[in-house]
Amino acid sequence: MNCRRLTILLCGAILCVCHPDLTAVKKECTPVARVPAIKPDYSGITIPPDIAPLNFAVDEPGTGFCAELTSTHGPSIITANNRPLLHIPADQWKKLLDRNCGEPLRITLYVRGKNGQWLGYKAIEDTIAARPIDRYCTYRILSFQYNYSSDIRLYQRDLGSFRKFQLMNTDNFAWGCCNCHTPFNGDPGRFIVHLRTAHFGNGMLIADKGKISKIGARLGYPAWHPGGKFIVFSVYNVEQRFHASAEKDLIEQYDRQSDLVVYDIERETIVSVEPLSRKQILETWPAWSPDGRYLYFCSAPVLWSDFDEVPPDNYNKVRYSLVRIAYHAADNTWGPLDTVLSARETGLSISQPRISHDGRFLLFCMHDHGCYPHTQRSSDLYMMDIATGKYRHLDINSDYAET
């Protein structure tokens, strides 16, 4: 047998394994009255029409796997493999989603057992959104050794494909850390990025309308005002300690002091506003409402008198409430403070508020104490309807820390 004929036979055998006769499989399969387990779990979701293919792994035992993706208009997509990893052809995926904006998407999975018998699972039902998603996402990659900052990178991902682009790498500025890459309203031409370096010092870079400037002060979590003229930052004195007991969260992180300050971009000045920088009160995690009328943030009373003691008294009893303050852009004045959700009511500590673009919903974390949810397994996500003040625990939470 020559090499060419052998290659053709091998390719044919692979195709037979990866692409079974779906018509025959449907007739012969044993129905399973539940949806299959897949990773990630894409059941019951809304899919943006411009998202990259949602490839997935099948979490069911088998020797062959085949999925059919169908919607209202156009031909279906069939993908198969003898391993539990199913890849969706990008061109077919794009055509199917383009033709079916606002329509349902059904994923029907067939799994072949060791005995050769196919199982046909109940279809996964999804919805294709009518509107596209914002195309790009930025994110940070760092070592699992969180305190080792010699290799931290910022990337931009094209959500319509799997292409990614490196924006920054700490190797370029000699043993440093970069974080808090925050654009103004998603504009890639206006953003801030926080740098901490051994060689160039610490500071915040602001890219604004073709100009790059540096703030020399140590500033923390930012919140651009929707008008684009100033940014509210947190300023804090953060500490970390470690527990020896495995029954506790390993890292204990807390602020000994924290306030909010306002940075005027045009004047390049930092202003302290009395309602945001109160003595014996910890303020952090600023977030603006989309109309710029309210600044939301988290607030808690200081429970210690000695700021040099490590750790301070009652650090693990500090619980933050969610508050907001009105801002009047016409005369650049601030209104009274208003408690949105009190820690006394919840018995938990609130952090990281985020308001939806339409101003209707508020997403936030609640956890046992403090303001750093990423170090606490108790941290879960909650959603509030701002108009009613009612909130709920989200179904997507796990036994790990959600932030």
Side-chain angles (χ1 to χ4, degrees):
M1 182 180 295
N2 60 40
C3 292
R4 182 166 179 248
R5 185 179 178 188
L6 178 60
T7 301
I8 292 173
L9 287 174
L10 286 173
C11 289
I14 292 172
L15 288 172
C16 288
V17 171
C18 294
H19 295 280
D21 183 348
L22 189 56
T23 302
V25 168
K26 289 180 178 179
K27 290 181 179 179
E28 299 170 2
C29 71
T30 301
V32 179
R34 65 173 176 87
V35 297
I38 64 172
K39 294 182 179 179
D41 182 5
Y42 290 134
S43 58
I45 66 171
T46 299
I47 301 171
D50 56 340
I51 199 76
L54 300 183
N55 301 321
F56 59 90
V58 181
D59 197 18
E60 302 284 356
T63 60
F65 307 87
C66 180
E68 182 181 27
L69 290 75
T70 61
S71 189
T72 306
H73 309 290
S76 61
I77 301 174
I78 299 173
T79 178
N81 200 345
N82 54 5
R83 297 188 301 154
L85 300 174
L86 293 178
H87 296 271
I88 305 168
D91 55 343
Q92 297 181 42
W93 172 259
K94 186 178 186 307
K95 289 179 182 178
L96 185 67
L97 266 57
D98 284 346
R99 293 168 178 163
N100 292 280
C101 293
E103 299 291 336
L105 177 71
R106 289 171 290 277
I107 304 174
T108 307
L109 185 67
Y110 302 90
V111 176
R112 184 181 59 202
K114 292 182 179 180
N115 59 0
Q117 178 64 38
W118 286 89
L119 300 176
Y121 288 85
K122 184 179 178 181
I124 294 171
E125 299 278 349
D126 294 324
T127 302
I128 302 170
R131 296 183 179 181
I133 196 173
D134 290 344
R135 185 170 175 181
Y136 294 98
C137 173
T138 56
Y139 57 95
R140 184 169 61 147
I141 290 180
L142 64 161
S143 170
F144 66 90
Q145 294 177 300
Y146 73 97
N147 59 341
Y148 190 66
S149 59
S150 66
D151 187 14
I152 297 178
R153 308 172 192 178
L154 289 175
Y155 280 95
Q156 174 176 282
R157 159 75 191 274
D158 182 352
L159 297 177
S161 68
F162 295 101
R163 292 180 299 164
K164 65 180 182 180
F165 312 90
Q166 183 172 280
L167 302 177
M168 183 176 290
N169 190 326
T170 57
D171 285 343
N172 298 330
F173 45 88
W175 297 89
C177 174
C178 63
N179 59 15
C180 298
H181 173 261
T182 308
F184 168 68
N185 290 342
D187 182 354
R190 303 184 70 188
F191 65 89
I192 56 177
V193 61
H194 190 191
L195 303 177
R196 295 193 299 272
T197 71
H199 184 70
F200 300 106
N202 303 326
M204 190 81 68
L205 295 182
I206 299 183
D208 186 38
K209 301 175 183 177
K211 175 186 175 182
I212 296 180
S213 56
K214 178 184 177 181
I215 309 175
R218 291 189 62 180
L219 302 174
Y221 313 117
W224 286 82
H225 184 267
K229 293 183 178 180
F230 62 87
I231 307 169
V232 174
F233 288 98
S234 61
V235 290
Y236 47 80
N237 186 349
V238 61
E239 294 284 349
Q240 293 188 75
R241 291 294 179 266
F242 296 83
H243 290 292
S245 172
E247 296 179 359
K248 295 180 176 290
D249 294 313
L250 176 63
I251 303 171
E252 191 68 66
Q253 193 169 357
Y254 54 89
D255 285 347
R256 284 194 287 179
Q257 293 176 298
S258 64
D259 289 313
L260 299 179
V261 297
V262 180
Y263 178 75
D264 188 308
I265 297 174
E266 293 181 358
R267 296 179 178 149
E268 298 185 351
T269 56
I270 297 175
V271 179
S272 178
V273 179
E274 195 278 330
L276 307 180
S277 303
R278 295 166 292 167
K279 292 183 178 180
Q280 298 301 313
I281 299 293
L282 303 166
E283 296 101 350
T284 189
W285 294 118
W288 284 99
S289 62
D291 57 11
R293 294 175 56 195
Y294 293 97
L295 177 70
Y296 289 77
F297 60 97
C298 300
S299 173
V302 175
L303 300 183
W304 48 85
S305 56
D306 187 350
F307 287 88
D308 295 322
E309 185 178 0
V310 179
D313 289 337
N314 301 314
Y315 76 92
N316 58 349
K317 297 180 182 178
V318 174
R319 293 184 172 88
Y320 287 74
S321 297
L322 179 63
V323 299
R324 73 178 186 180
I325 185 171
Y327 173 70
H328 309 290
D331 54 2
N332 190 31
T333 58
W334 300 84
L337 287 171
D338 177 30
T339 300
V340 179
L341 183 60
S342 171
R344 290 185 179 181
E345 175 186 336
T346 65
L348 296 170
S349 191
I350 302 171
S351 63
Q352 296 185 336
R354 295 289 185 272
I355 298 96
S356 61
H357 291 297
D358 60 4
R360 181 180 174 186
F361 296 104
L362 193 151
L363 180 72
F364 58 98
C365 302
M366 283 207 291
H367 37 92
D368 181 62
H369 65 276
C371 63
Y372 292 99
H374 59 278
T375 64
Q376 299 188 48
R377 284 172 290 184
S378 64
S379 177
D380 282 340
L381 293 174
Y382 293 76
M383 187 79 81
M384 174 185 288
D385 186 322
I386 295 177
T388 65
K390 294 182 178 180
Y391 64 94
R392 62 186 175 89
H393 181 262
L394 295 183
D395 295 335
I396 61 174
N397 289 299
S398 69
D399 294 332
Y400 301 97
E402 268 73 37
T403 71

